[in-house]
Amino acid sequence: MGSNAALEPINETLGVYSQLFMLLAAMVYMVVFIFFALDLAKTNKSISEMDAAALKEDEKLLVSAGAVARPGRGRRGEDSRADNVGEHIVTDKMEYTKLSSSRKMARIAVVLMCLATALHGFAVFARAFAANRVPWGNMYEFMSTGALVVSVVYLVALFFKDLRFMGSFISGLVTLMLCGATIGFPTPVGHLVPALQSPWIVIHVSIAVFASALFAISFAMNVLQLMQHARMKRIAEGQPDKMPFMRVVPGAGALENFAYRLNTIGFAMWTFTVIAGAIWAEAAWGRYWGWDPKEVWSFVIWVVYAGYLHARATGGWTGPRSAWLSIIGFLCVVFNFTIVNIFFNGLHSYAGV
Amino acid sequence: MAKNKQKAKNRGDAPALGFVGFLRWIWTQLTSMPTALFLLLMLAVAAVPGSIFPQRSVNPELVTQYLDQHPVAGPWLDRFQMFEVYSSAWFSAIYILLFISLVGCITPRIKKHAKALRTPPPRTPAKLERLPQYHSMEVMEDQPDTPTDDQLIDDAYKILKKRGYRVERRDDATGRSVSAERGYTREIGNLLFHISLLGILATAGLGQAYGYGGQRVVVEGETFVNSLVSYDSFSPGSNFSADNLQGYSVKLDKFDILFDRDSKDYFGQPLDFTAHVQVRENPDAEPVKQELKVNHPLRIDGADVYLVGNGYAPVVTVRDGEGNVSYSGPLVSVPQDSVYTSLMVIKVPDAKPEQLGFQGFLLPTALVGEDNVAFSGDPNAINPQLQLNSYYGDLGLNSGEPQNVYVLDTEKMTELNSRNLDAGGIVLGAGDTYELPDNLGSITFDDLKRYIALDVNYDPGKWPIAIFSGLALLGLIISMFTPRRRVWVKLKNEDGRRSIEYALLARGEDPRLERESDELQKIFDKAWPLASQEQDLGAVNG
Ligand code: HEM
């Protein structure tokens, strides 16, 4: 029934430590952001140098091989380095390659990000233990815990895929969320109000946060996809490459497919979130659906992403068009989480604001 | 007309087929994917105004207030049904079209898939090596247990079948092979999802029609009997009949609130609301003690009773100028803040010679501030006090117009007690009595009770909707995470050297196709003595 657990006293000291570590984490994330940004900036420079060096090496090879034609490109054979000029450093499967492992700044950024996430994780868990409940009962907690999920999902994904090209977006987003939480909604540790004392808060909110984290990552990919698309078009027209750093980013098609996969998982989770929310609303307010502003926007998000999935199956709507739908979908998620929580009054307005 | 016909014919794509043809053309358009997509996006946009403007179905008072505050824009918004978005003509039009489109879309797909389920996997292509996932392996002939062709085909058949493929043996001009396909459930999941959406829409409407909802305030000691007359407000569905009201009753023994007393930051915030009630399932049943809490409604025989609000109900006795008791009992007051400073109104139409009215505040824990104004210092009733103004004259109850019980209409009344008058305001501690000026009567503050506000809801569509939602989610997961793949395994015999080829083909998005291919390779390696795995065409030359 939850009510007895809620009566255990708050550990205020632990709560203060939590807040301190949250600030520390935010600062480290900021540094991570800088390193990821440096990586992109450096890539701009070093790629041009690398291209020049590769061309030179190729020339040498050609000379030593005499007039013999270059062997055809085997499937897994060693490509001539010069073949990579204008191509992506990150493969379309987003795997780590020799070329990509030379990015020192990015490596520092990842190490620091692990540190920041550890600090952040401590802060969130300390708060949970201080209050003896799940750490998502008000805006401050939604944002700080949500940011942790984004960061952890990203780090876990980094094990499998070379997603460092998204590092500045993710660390920037996480920094922003932590600053938003600590500056916008500073909230001391406290008990849950009776309306939130339900097992459903564990299920409904955690899945919602998870889905939002996935939407955030695919949002970033769709934005990059549009940039890549525009860049490739310019290159194809013979114009100079104004964004060489985009070469650490996979091709537009690969981004689109990867974002799509994340979005399908996100959509299934969001569907579950809405259903679980309806079940909770039935138990708390006596109706499963009442077009409360929060319900309206959850519905809008759901329909936009359903539209996105349809677009992917509709001729002429794949590529940039469906990417826009995914971007709009994520903007709705952000809107639902910020503007609706703060300015629209409805039954959900107890989010600690 | 004839000219038009000619033109249409020339264009070729949209021949004029008369009225029926025109309808068919509309139908094709409506059930096409781009239309479905367009309608979905329209639905998203159309839902938004309902979160911006107050909705009658949610809070009619806010709508009235909005209309008062926006005398120009308000009526226009009302004309476009902005205050009842979700039952508006335009919103309904969008979702009805969408669902018609849905029906038109899934019916042919069901037929098509039913046929596909009875069709064997496709023939083996002549040139497997052209497919994206292609491998070729040579059979080692000098082993003691070298399998025969029949065995190889049988093994391949069994292996693929075990991995969930539908399999078919082939023997044609290009040689002997096994063709296999899996992932038929993907389409089934997709259809299940879309059909369940139809189910949700249908049962949502039905549940509302046959259900009812109502509100009622119950003071400690009172009993709520489920019948039409006991509701403060009641909204039946269109097909509701009063016979559907289950005859249960709920008596409120006591209502407890636990406030936070430990926390500095949240001092006085409520932590727990518990209503101790006695429930009778029907008039003859024994009362059963139960606890009613937020998030834990009483579930009685299909109807559900929810705790949605609470407050104080001061018990007062009013005597009129003739000395008769003209009112006695609890009065529901409306909390205004977190320390339960509560607004209260007393109307005494039976008082003689003049009708009496009171309005003011209940302070659960009265303290006096520096500016000499009393305020409530705590939500619990430690030092309860009534601070009232009084009036005499005409309460205006006889006009027949419905009146808000929480508002005193003082237009035709004369002020008797207030701060501004010599007589001053009425201040009553627990048990105190105050004699009104001019011998118009007296008022006594007898006792303080708590009340709870109940929502009662009966919605027979709830369970079907829950089931359809679950099915929709299930269908979604099945369709999203079931890959559709085809596999062909083929025997080759060149100059007595036998080899096995196999190839995979994804139908639609399938990031794990390569992994499946590796998996199959491992299984084949285990099943047969294979000499070499010449996967890489490029390596042959070396
Ligand atoms: C009530 C409105 C609708 C909603 C919310 C909706 C939602 C969805 C969702 C979420 C998917 C992707 C999940 C899956 O593959 O199972 C999907 C797929 C699909 N929908 Fe709908 N749908 C709706 C109406 C329609 C209509 C009217 C049509 C036909 C015109 C349609 C045709 C399809 C098709 C063909 C797919 C499969 C696409 C693929 O292969 O990826 N849907 N729909």
Side-chain angles (χ1 to χ4, degrees):
Chain A
M1 291 249 159
S3 64
N4 288 340
L7 294 184
E8 284 185 31
I10 301 279
N11 186 338
E12 314 253 354
T13 328
L14 199 54
V16 173
Y17 274 114
S18 163
Q19 270 161 335
L20 184 70
F21 272 76
M22 208 69 91
L23 280 179
L24 275 178
M27 279 186 244
V28 183
Y29 279 124
M30 198 119 64
V31 178
V32 173
F33 173 78
I34 293 171
F35 272 97
F36 272 126
L38 280 177
D39 171 54
L40 290 186
K42 198 156 178 299
T43 307
N44 258 347
K45 214 173 111 221
S46 58
I47 281 183
S48 350
E49 286 167 9
M50 248 160 33
D51 282 355
L55 275 173
K56 227 180 234 165
E57 211 170 281
D58 249 27
E59 264 161 32
K60 264 191 239 158
L61 254 176
L62 276 178
V63 171
S64 66
V68 181
R70 254 178 33 207
R73 292 172 61 184
R75 273 205 201 158
R76 284 177 204 154
E78 296 280 292
D79 288 356
S80 147
R81 296 278 307 273
D83 284 347
N84 281 322
V85 174
E87 282 185 10
H88 310 290
I89 286 181
V90 171
T91 62
D92 278 357
K93 284 188 181 160
M94 303 177 202
E95 278 157 353
Y96 293 92
T97 61
K98 252 189 287 169
L99 261 170
S100 69
S101 60
S102 61
R103 290 156 57 191
K104 204 184 274 166
M105 293 298 169
R107 283 157 95 185
I108 299 175
V110 171
V111 171
L112 283 177
M113 183 130 179
C114 291
L115 172 70
T117 309
L119 294 171
H120 189 175
F122 175 82
V124 167
F125 279 96
R127 194 168 169 104
F129 281 110
N132 241 307
R133 59 175 173 80
V134 290
W136 49 78
N138 50 54
M139 276 299 272
Y140 175 86
E141 292 170 1
F142 296 149
M143 282 182 110
S144 53
T145 306
L148 181 66
V149 173
V150 172
S151 177
V152 168
V153 166
Y154 175 68
L155 284 181
V156 170
L158 268 186
F159 265 105
F160 303 102
K161 299 274 171 192
D162 184 2
L163 299 177
R164 291 175 301 174
F165 61 87
M166 290 176 48
S168 40
F169 170 80
I170 298 288
S171 52
L173 178 72
V174 170
T175 313
L176 212 70
M177 284 173 83
L178 282 190
C179 290
T182 39
I183 297 166
F185 312 98
T187 318
V189 197
H191 293 298
L192 289 178
V193 295
L196 290 179
Q197 292 169 14
S198 159
W200 285 105
I201 191 174
V202 181
I203 304 161
H204 171 66
V205 183
S206 63
I207 302 289
V209 168
F210 234 102
S212 309
L214 291 180
F215 287 148
I217 293 174
S218 49
F219 160 80
M221 290 193 169
N222 287 122
V223 170
L224 287 171
Q225 174 199 340
L226 290 179
M227 286 167 70
Q228 196 71 288
H229 188 82
R231 169 175 170 260
M232 285 319 213
K233 215 164 121 191
R234 226 177 301 125
I235 292 179
E237 285 165 1
Q239 292 176 28
D241 184 1
K242 273 197 221 146
M243 301 185 280
F245 67 89
M246 286 295 284
R247 282 180 50 190
V248 301
V249 178
L255 285 168
E256 181 182 349
N257 288 341
F258 206 76
Y260 172 70
R261 248 177 284 156
L262 290 183
N263 269 338
T264 51
I265 302 171
F267 181 77
M269 285 185 158
W270 192 257
T271 308
F272 180 79
T273 302
V274 172
I275 294 174
I279 297 174
W280 189 3
E282 192 281 329
W285 302 321
R287 85 288 184 291
Y288 54 84
W289 197 266
W291 297 110
D292 181 73
K294 195 87 187 172
E295 291 170 344
V296 172
W297 279 91
S298 301
F299 172 78
V300 169
I301 291 166
W302 190 81
V303 174
V304 169
Y305 278 103
Y308 164 83
L309 295 176
H310 270 212
R312 290 267 315 182
T314 307
W317 271 82
T318 49
R321 277 190 175 182
S322 68
W324 276 113
L325 283 181
S326 165
I327 289 170
I328 292 171
F330 181 68
L331 293 181
C332 291
V333 171
V334 173
F335 187 85
N336 193 21
F337 186 71
T338 53
I339 309 292
V340 175
N341 274 4
I342 301 163
F343 296 110
F344 288 36
N345 57 59
L347 291 166
H348 277 83
S349 298
Y350 42 60
V353 281
Chain B
M1 187 67 203
K3 225 178 180 181
N4 277 347
K5 237 181 197 168
Q6 195 64 37
K7 235 186 192 167
K9 252 185 200 145
N10 290 346
R11 259 213 328 254
D13 56 341
L17 290 171
F19 187 63
V20 177
F22 177 69
L23 282 186
R24 187 165 296 150
W25 181 79
I26 293 258
W27 180 247
T28 320
Q29 291 303 308
L30 184 62
T31 56
S32 73
M33 279 300 267
T35 310
L37 177 57
F38 175 73
L39 288 171
L40 264 175
L41 296 181
M42 288 283 287
L43 187 68
V45 174
V48 172
S51 71
I52 298 169
F53 303 113
Q55 298 295 297
R56 286 210 171 85
S57 61
V58 179
N59 194 338
E61 276 136 50
L62 279 182
V63 177
T64 316
Q65 203 179 321
Y66 189 96
L67 284 171
D68 283 346
Q69 284 165 359
H70 303 83
V72 183
W76 275 102
L77 291 171
D78 207 4
R79 223 157 286 163
F80 288 106
Q81 298 175 298
M82 285 297 175
F83 303 118
E84 50 237 338
V85 166
Y86 305 105
S87 52
S88 68
W90 42 276
F91 191 80
S92 312
I94 295 172
Y95 77 74
I96 289 170
L97 277 178
L98 183 58
F99 277 88
I100 292 175
S101 167
L102 184 55
V103 172
C105 185
I106 54 180
T107 336
R109 277 172 63 197
I110 293 173
K111 279 191 207 142
K112 209 171 136 203
H113 195 60
K115 209 171 141 207
L117 282 175
R118 282 179 270 118
T119 317
R123 310 163 133 272
T124 312
K127 291 208 161 92
L128 281 188
E129 60 269 25
R130 286 200 184 148
L131 296 174
Q133 285 292 329
Y134 167 77
H135 301 265
S136 151
M137 312 158 289
E138 197 171 312
V139 181
M140 273 190 343
E141 302 291 1
D142 45 2
Q143 301 289 324
D145 53 351
T146 302
T148 63
D149 282 3
D150 282 344
Q151 275 170 333
L152 284 173
I153 289 288
D154 274 356
D155 286 350
Y157 184 92
K158 274 184 212 143
I159 288 170
L160 289 171
K161 184 150 196 172
K162 209 171 149 200
R163 280 189 79 73
Y165 288 84
R166 168 174 314 169
V167 275
E168 180 86 1
R169 288 187 185 82
R170 303 270 181 198
D171 192 356
D172 50 30
T174 62
R176 296 182 67 182
S177 62
V178 174
S179 63
E181 176 157 3
R182 58 155 294 158
Y184 294 85
T185 42
R186 186 187 186 96
E187 182 73 356
I188 294 179
N190 185 298
L191 291 171
L192 176 65
F193 169 77
H194 285 96
I195 292 169
S196 303
L197 292 184
L198 284 172
I200 290 174
L201 184 74
T203 38
L206 279 182
Q208 263 163 25
Y210 287 92
Y212 65 82
Q215 276 98 36
R216 165 68 197 255
V217 164
V218 183
V219 179
E220 282 173 330
E222 279 183 359
T223 302
F224 160 66
V225 181
N226 190 29
S227 63
L228 275 183
V229 290
S230 2
Y231 281 99
D232 298 332
S233 69
F234 190 78
S235 43
S238 54
N239 287 40
F240 168 81
S241 103
D243 306 336
N244 294 2
L245 285 179
Q246 301 85 337
Y248 62 82
S249 67
V250 178
K251 175 168 187 270
L252 177 62
D253 286 334
K254 196 164 180 305
F255 181 64
D256 287 329
I257 310 183
L258 183 71
F259 293 101
D260 196 337
R261 300 294 178 194
D262 301 328
S263 166
K264 198 164 71 253
D265 303 299
Y266 300 102
F267 188 87
Q269 176 188 287
L271 291 180
D272 184 55
F273 301 116
T274 304
H276 302 274
V277 295
Q278 294 187 42
V279 178
R280 279 179 206 262
E281 294 244 346
N282 56 62
D284 309 319
E286 281 296 304
V288 180
K289 284 200 168 149
Q290 288 194 35
E291 281 185 2
L292 169 60
K293 284 167 169 276
V294 180
N295 277 318
H296 298 281
L298 299 173
R299 309 236 180 233
I300 310 166
D301 198 13
D304 304 307
V305 181
Y306 300 86
L307 174 62
V308 294
N310 68 83
Y312 283 108
V315 182
V316 298
T317 301
V318 178
R319 283 168 211 277
D320 64 12
E322 297 174 0
N324 299 319
V325 173
S326 43
Y327 182 85
S328 182
L331 276 156
V332 169
S333 68
V334 187
Q336 307 290 306
D337 55 24
S338 61
V339 285
Y340 281 74
T341 308
S342 305
L343 188 70
M344 62 182 294
V345 164
I346 313 172
K347 298 181 188 180
V348 195
D350 297 339
K352 292 187 177 100
E354 300 277 4
Q355 290 187 328
L356 295 173
F358 302 82
Q359 71 180 4
F361 289 96
L362 159 76
L363 309 177
T365 297
L367 299 174
V368 178
E370 282 170 11
D371 51 359
N372 232 2
V373 176
F375 67 98
S376 179
D378 196 278
N380 270 337
I382 298 166
N383 175 32
Q385 196 176 72
L386 300 184
Q387 299 251 351
L388 300 171
N389 292 348
S390 69
Y391 303 83
Y392 70 92
D394 181 1
L395 283 167
L397 293 178
N398 301 331
S399 65
E401 276 183 37
Q403 257 203 358
N404 188 333
V405 289
Y406 302 116
V407 177
L408 187 67
D409 179 6
T410 56
E411 202 175 305
K412 289 184 205 147
M413 303 196 84
T414 312
E415 212 168 30
L416 198 54
N417 282 98
S418 99
R419 243 172 203 288
N420 311 327
L421 299 179
D422 290 342
I426 303 172
V427 178
L428 284 177
D432 291 352
T433 298
Y434 177 86
E435 298 287 342
L436 296 175
D438 306 338
N439 281 333
L440 282 169
S442 71
I443 177 167
T444 310
F445 180 16
D446 298 314
D447 194 5
L448 189 61
K449 291 185 171 177
R450 287 188 192 271
Y451 71 86
I452 57 175
L454 297 179
D455 261 12
V456 180
N457 196 5
Y458 172 65
D459 183 349
K462 225 152 54 179
W463 281 107
I465 270 217
I467 291 165
F468 280 123
S469 309
L471 287 176
L473 184 62
L474 181 73
L476 187 67
I477 290 172
I478 291 175
S479 90
M480 278 181 164
F481 303 110
T482 313
R484 283 195 73 177
R485 298 171 178 149
R486 286 176 181 169
V487 179
W488 294 277
V489 180
K490 197 170 181 179
L491 285 186
K492 231 177 175 175
N493 199 335
E494 280 171 344
D495 322 323
R497 288 171 61 184
R498 288 189 301 159
S499 59
I500 302 166
E501 293 179 313
Y502 75 90
L504 280 83
L505 181 68
R507 308 201 56 208
E509 204 99 11
D510 190 352
R512 290 197 175 70
L513 189 69
E514 201 177 334
R515 201 177 297 170
E516 172 75 358
S517 169
D518 294 345
E519 247 353 88
L520 284 176
Q521 180 76 59
K522 265 189 226 151
I523 298 174
F524 292 152
D525 276 345
K526 236 199 231 156
W528 303 315
L530 299 169
S532 56
Q533 296 150 23
E534 294 164 8
Q535 303 168 19
D536 219 326
L537 286 177
V540 178
N541 302 338

